[in-house]
Amino acid sequence: MQVAVDTVQLDDIFKLYQTGDVQVQALGGVTLRIAPGELVAIMGPSGSGKSTLMNIIGCLDRPTTGRYSLAGQDISRLDKNALASVRNRQVGFVFQSFNLLTRTSAVENVELPLLYAGVRSEERTVRARAALERVGLGDRLTHHPSQMSGGQQQRVAIARALVSHPHLVLADEPTGNLDSQTSLDIMALFQELNRSGMTIILVTHEPDIAAFAARIITMRDGRIQSDRLQTSLPATATVPSERAHTP
Amino acid sequence: MSPTQTFLIALRALARNKMRSALTTLGIIIGVAAVIAMVALGEGAKREVEDAFTSMGSNLLMVRSGSTARGGAFGGFGSMPSLTWGDLDAISEEAHAVRAAAPVLQTAAQAQSEEQNWNTNVTGTDAAFFAIRNWRIVRGTGFTDSDVESGTKVAVLGQTVVEKLFGTTFDPVGQSIRINNIPFQVIGVLDKKGQSHHGQDNDDTIIIPHATYQAKIKGGLQKFIPGIIMVSAISAEAAISAQMQISAILRDRHRLSASDDDDFSVRNLSEFASAQQQGTETLTTLLAAIAAVSLFVGGIGIMNIMLVSVTERTREIGLRMAVGAKPRHILAQFLVEALTLSLVGGLIGVILGLLTAGQLARAFGWPMLIRADIIVVSVIFSAVVGVVFGIYPARKASLLDPIEALRYE
C-alpha cells in the first residue's frame, strides 16, 4: 500500500466555533502524522478537543484553518459531497453506541457503506459476509441487533467499518458501552486487525483501553499535550517502525 | 445508488412502522376514494339526465297552441287551438333548422285483444314521429305517409300494451285489436323506452295515423290541430335557431303584429337538458372539491409523519452520512418514503373508490361510469401530494449535520 505516504497528515489545524457572541477554540494548532499500520489511542478529558480532532480526521468536519491530508489527498477544502465520498471509501467508523440499524440483519448493516458506494447486490453480500467472518460472526449473518449481545453488536459495527477496505478505522469510545471482559475481547480484535495492516485510531478515556495502543496521544485544551510510544504492551500489540513525533 | 435500492430502503423503513404507515396512508386512501366515487357518481347522474332527454327524442322542440284568457283567467297553453295543419307544413318546409315535424294528438282509449283489454294512451301522428322521438320499431314496421293520407286502421304498439294485451311471449304483428271498439291491425311493435323523466311509462301507448285518429277515435276542427306539434332540430346546437325560426313563421302566418303576444308556445327541451346537466356538473365539481380537500389533509398527515420520522431517525441519518450517504441520498430516501406512502394510498384509494362508486350506483339505480382519466389524475395527484408534502421533511433530513445527528439522543 502507500508506505511512503502518511495516512493522516495534520498541519497546524485550528477549529473555531461561534457560540452566540463567544468564539470557542476547539483545536488550537494541532500538527500530527500517523503512518499506515499504526494503532493510536487519543486520550484526554472532555473538552480537550479529542472529539473535534476525531471528526476532522474522520472527514465529518472541516478545519477552520490548517491542512489535512488523508493518504496523500488534501481534503481540508472538499465540499459536503466530496467529504461523503472520502468517508465512504477511505474511513471506517466504530461508535460507542454501535449505531446499527434496528430490525436489519447483520449482513445488511455491514452492506450499508457498499450501498452508497454503488457496489452491486451480489458483491455487497459476498464482501459483507467476509467482513463478518473476519470479526468472528460468520454464524450470525441474519441476526438482528436485538438478537445479539453488546459485544456482538460492536463486532458487526467493526465489520461495517472494514467492509469498504478503508485506509483508516476510527473508533470513538468503542468499549464505552461494554463490560470489561467484552472490552478486552474487542480490543484484542482491534489489535489483530492492526497486525494485519489496518491503521486504527481509538478515542478513549480509559487508560487500560489506551494501553492496547502502541502510541498514545493525550489532548488538553485543544492541543496535543503528549505523544508517546509504549514500550511494554499488553498482549501482542506491535510497535510500528520508528516515527518522528511532533508534540 | 439505484432507484430500486432507494425504493427498497423506503419500503423497509415503512414496514418497520406498519401501523403508523397504514394510518398515514388512510388519509390519502380516503381522499382518492372520495374523488373517484364522487366523480363516478356525478358522471352517472349526468348520464341519467342525458338518457332521460335522449329517450324523449333528439333535439326536441314542442309547439303548443296559445291560451285563452277569459275574464282574466288564463286557460293554459293549448286551451285555444291556434296551430293549423298549414302551420305544420310550413314548419317542416320553411324552417331550415328543423329536421322533421309531426303532429301529436293524444287521448286515453280502451284497447282490446281477443283475450284482454287495457286502458291506454292513443297517439295520432304521422310517419315522421318515430324519427323525431328516436323510437325504433323492433318488430314489424311503422306506418307510412300513405297510411296517414288514406286513414288506414293500422296500429304500432308500445311494449307495455303488447304485454297487457298479448302477454310477453306472443308476437302481435298481424293480429287484430280493437280501440274503442274499432278494429285495427297491428303492424309493428316499438322498442322499450322505459319511464319518462316525469315517471310516466313511455311504453304504455298505441301509435296510429292521425287521419285515422281524427276519423275514428277523436274528431276535431278541420283546420286546427287538436294537439301539439313535435319538432326535431337538425342538431342540438340548431335547437335555438329552430325555435326562433318556428316563432317567426308562426307569427307571420298568424298575422301577429309586433305588439301582440304569441298565440302559441315553443319549448326547447334541449335547454332543460343542458340546464339539468349543468346542475349535475356543479354537483360533481363541488363533491370533487370536497374530496380534493380531504386529499390535501391526507398530504398534511404525510408531512407530519415524515417530520416525526426524520426526528426519530436522526441518528440513523447521521450514521448513513458517516458511512458515505450524500445529502441527495438522504433526500431521495425520505422523499421516496413519502411518495410510496401517498402512491400506495392512491392505488388503494382507487380500488376503494371504484367499489364505493359501484355500491352507490347500484343503490341509486344509476349507470356507473368509470372515467379512466380521473383514475390516472387521482393517482398522479396523490403522487404529487407525496412529493410536495414530503420535500420539506426530506430536505430537513438531508441538511442535518452528521456530527450532531450522531450525537442526537
Side-chain angles (χ1 to χ4, degrees):
Chain A
M1 275 181 38
Q2 296 154 8
V3 185
V5 184
D6 285 320
T7 302
V8 172
Q9 184 179 341
L10 296 166
D11 287 305
D12 203 20
I13 297 289
F14 279 81
K15 182 68 189 181
L16 305 174
Y17 291 108
Q18 194 74 35
T19 314
D21 295 336
V22 192
Q23 201 173 47
V24 180
Q25 179 180 283
L27 291 178
V30 173
T31 301
L32 177 65
R33 302 265 186 286
I34 294 172
E38 279 197 82
L39 173 54
V40 180
I42 298 178
M43 297 191 71
S46 49
S48 62
K50 62 182 196 298
S51 292
T52 308
L53 183 63
M54 280 292 277
N55 289 336
I56 288 174
I57 294 175
C59 304
L60 286 164
D61 205 351
R62 280 174 295 193
T64 311
T65 61
R67 190 169 182 279
Y68 170 33
S69 293
L70 175 63
Q73 185 191 2
D74 182 5
I75 60 128
S76 31
R77 295 289 169 265
L78 294 181
D79 69 4
K80 270 188 174 183
N81 283 322
L83 281 178
S85 291
V86 171
R87 288 196 299 271
N88 184 234
R89 288 159 213 277
Q90 307 193 18
V91 185
F93 289 94
V94 178
F95 303 96
Q96 176 175 0
S97 51
F98 322 141
N99 278 334
L100 299 177
L101 298 181
T102 54
R103 296 188 224 181
T104 305
S105 72
V107 170
E108 284 167 305
N109 263 295
V110 174
E111 280 182 21
L112 200 61
L114 302 178
L115 197 66
Y116 293 110
V119 176
R120 283 184 313 113
S121 166
E122 303 81 37
E123 194 189 333
R124 284 205 305 269
T125 313
V126 170
R127 283 170 64 175
R129 281 165 177 274
L132 280 166
E133 275 157 18
R134 195 166 169 198
V135 299
L137 286 179
D139 55 344
R140 292 281 189 280
L141 298 177
T142 57
H143 285 56
H144 288 191
S146 59
Q147 300 164 317
M148 288 188 275
S149 69
Q152 287 171 331
Q153 290 187 51
Q154 194 60 299
R155 281 168 192 268
V156 174
I158 293 169
R160 183 178 63 198
L162 298 176
V163 76
S164 51
H165 306 311
H167 287 297
L168 180 66
V169 169
L170 287 176
D172 189 359
E173 303 274 6
T175 59
N177 284 7
L178 302 174
D179 62 52
S180 48
Q181 182 52 50
T182 316
S183 296
L184 294 179
D185 294 345
I186 291 294
M187 290 317 297
L189 176 60
F190 275 122
Q191 272 193 328
E192 188 194 319
L193 293 170
N194 175 245
R195 266 204 305 279
S196 64
M198 182 69 70
T199 313
I200 298 169
I201 302 177
L202 302 165
V203 169
T204 182
H205 61 268
E206 293 172 70
D208 36 332
I209 295 302
F212 280 83
R215 179 178 168 195
I216 299 175
I217 295 168
T218 310
M219 299 283 296
R220 182 173 285 277
D221 299 330
R223 292 168 191 277
I224 295 177
Q225 189 185 40
S226 73
D227 184 349
R228 60 198 164 80
L229 292 174
Q230 296 205 92
T231 43
S232 62
L233 286 173
T236 51
T238 51
V239 185
S241 55
E242 179 208 329
R243 295 291 313 157
H245 300 303
T246 36
Chain B
M1 212 164 46
S2 77
T4 326
Q5 279 162 8
T6 311
F7 181 67
L8 287 176
I9 290 178
L11 270 193
R12 165 160 304 182
L14 295 175
R16 277 192 207 121
N17 270 308
K18 287 191 189 68
M19 187 65 174
R20 181 200 283 181
S21 303
L23 287 174
T24 309
T25 314
L26 204 57
I28 298 289
I29 293 177
I30 292 172
V32 170
V35 169
I36 299 279
M38 291 308 141
V39 172
L41 207 61
E43 288 293 308
K46 199 169 126 190
R47 174 62 66 87
E48 178 79 358
V49 171
E50 276 172 11
D51 285 352
F53 281 92
T54 315
S55 74
M56 275 192 309
S58 50
N59 317 317
L60 202 61
L61 293 98
M62 303 253 204
V63 187
R64 289 168 201 273
S65 296
S67 59
T68 52
R70 207 168 280 153
F74 286 87
F77 287 119
S79 55
M80 184 189 76
S82 63
L83 297 173
T84 65
W85 294 100
D87 290 343
L88 173 63
D89 294 339
I91 290 170
S92 332
E93 283 154 26
E94 291 167 31
H96 303 299
V98 167
R99 192 206 315 272
V104 175
L105 320 178
Q106 282 186 319
T107 188
Q110 201 71 17
Q112 295 168 264
S113 66
E114 284 185 12
E115 281 97 30
Q116 300 292 332
N117 74 94
W118 180 246
N119 190 280
T120 185
N121 168 51
V122 176
T123 301
T125 185
D126 66 22
F129 175 81
F130 303 104
I132 293 171
R133 294 272 337 246
N134 246 349
W135 215 340
R136 283 194 318 124
I137 288 163
V138 289
R139 263 177 288 174
T141 58
F143 44 76
T144 60
D145 288 336
S146 67
D147 285 322
V148 175
E149 276 162 35
S150 50
T152 47
K153 290 184 279 183
V154 292
V156 178
L157 306 186
Q159 295 270 353
T160 305
V161 175
V162 172
E163 197 180 305
K164 294 296 180 190
L165 294 183
F166 297 100
T168 46
T169 51
F170 192 79
D171 180 2
V173 174
Q175 295 294 309
S176 182
I177 60 166
R178 299 174 85 85
I179 302 171
N180 287 357
N181 254 335
I182 297 155
F184 280 77
Q185 195 195 359
V186 178
I187 58 166
V189 175
L190 289 164
D191 196 5
K192 195 169 179 64
K193 237 188 205 305
Q195 282 189 355
S196 76
H197 69 297
H198 297 306
Q200 289 163 336
D201 183 1
N202 277 315
D203 302 313
D204 188 3
T205 191
I206 298 174
I207 316 289
I208 62 173
H210 67 77
T212 322
Y213 178 96
Q214 284 194 290
K216 304 292 182 190
I217 308 294
K218 194 178 184 189
L221 299 166
Q222 285 303 302
K223 188 182 165 196
F224 293 103
I225 299 175
I228 64 166
I229 299 174
M230 269 194 189
V231 176
S232 159
I234 51 176
S235 69
E237 295 74 36
I240 290 179
S241 33
Q243 191 175 6
M244 279 155 46
Q245 288 166 9
I246 292 166
S247 284
I249 290 166
L250 292 181
R251 286 187 71 86
D252 185 45
R253 288 181 55 85
H254 296 182
R255 299 202 172 75
L256 298 174
S257 69
S259 60
D260 291 335
D261 288 338
D262 287 347
D263 61 352
F264 59 87
S265 77
V266 185
R267 277 175 64 202
N268 179 355
L269 291 189
S270 48
E271 274 174 20
F272 293 88
S274 61
Q276 288 232 25
Q277 274 179 21
Q278 267 176 12
T280 56
E281 256 164 38
T282 310
L283 189 71
T284 306
T285 313
L286 191 71
L287 292 173
I290 293 170
V293 168
S294 69
L295 249 184
F296 183 79
V297 173
I300 293 174
I302 288 188
M303 176 144 84
N304 188 22
I305 283 304
M306 292 312 296
L307 282 172
V308 170
S309 181
V310 168
T311 307
E312 256 183 14
R313 285 151 69 192
T314 300
R315 282 175 77 97
E316 178 194 324
I317 295 165
L319 171 78
R320 286 179 183 274
M321 286 178 158
V323 302
K326 292 175 181 163
R328 65 181 158 86
H329 289 135
I330 303 296
L331 183 83
Q333 181 186 341
F334 283 91
L335 205 53
V336 168
E337 270 181 42
L339 188 66
T340 307
L341 277 178
S342 65
L343 211 52
V344 168
L347 291 172
I348 297 175
V350 165
I351 295 166
L352 201 68
L354 293 180
L355 292 176
T356 312
Q359 289 289 337
L360 287 175
R362 205 167 307 143
F364 287 113
W366 285 346
M368 181 168 117
L369 290 171
I370 304 305
R371 274 175 53 183
D373 57 336
I374 290 294
I375 294 177
V376 173
V377 166
S378 308
V379 173
I380 292 176
F381 190 67
S382 59
V384 170
V385 164
V387 172
V388 167
F389 288 97
I391 196 98
Y392 172 70
R395 204 177 134 67
K396 200 177 156 194
S398 75
L399 292 178
L400 284 174
D401 175 32
I403 299 166
E404 280 174 22
L406 278 169
R407 217 180 278 152
Y408 185 84
E409 292 298 329

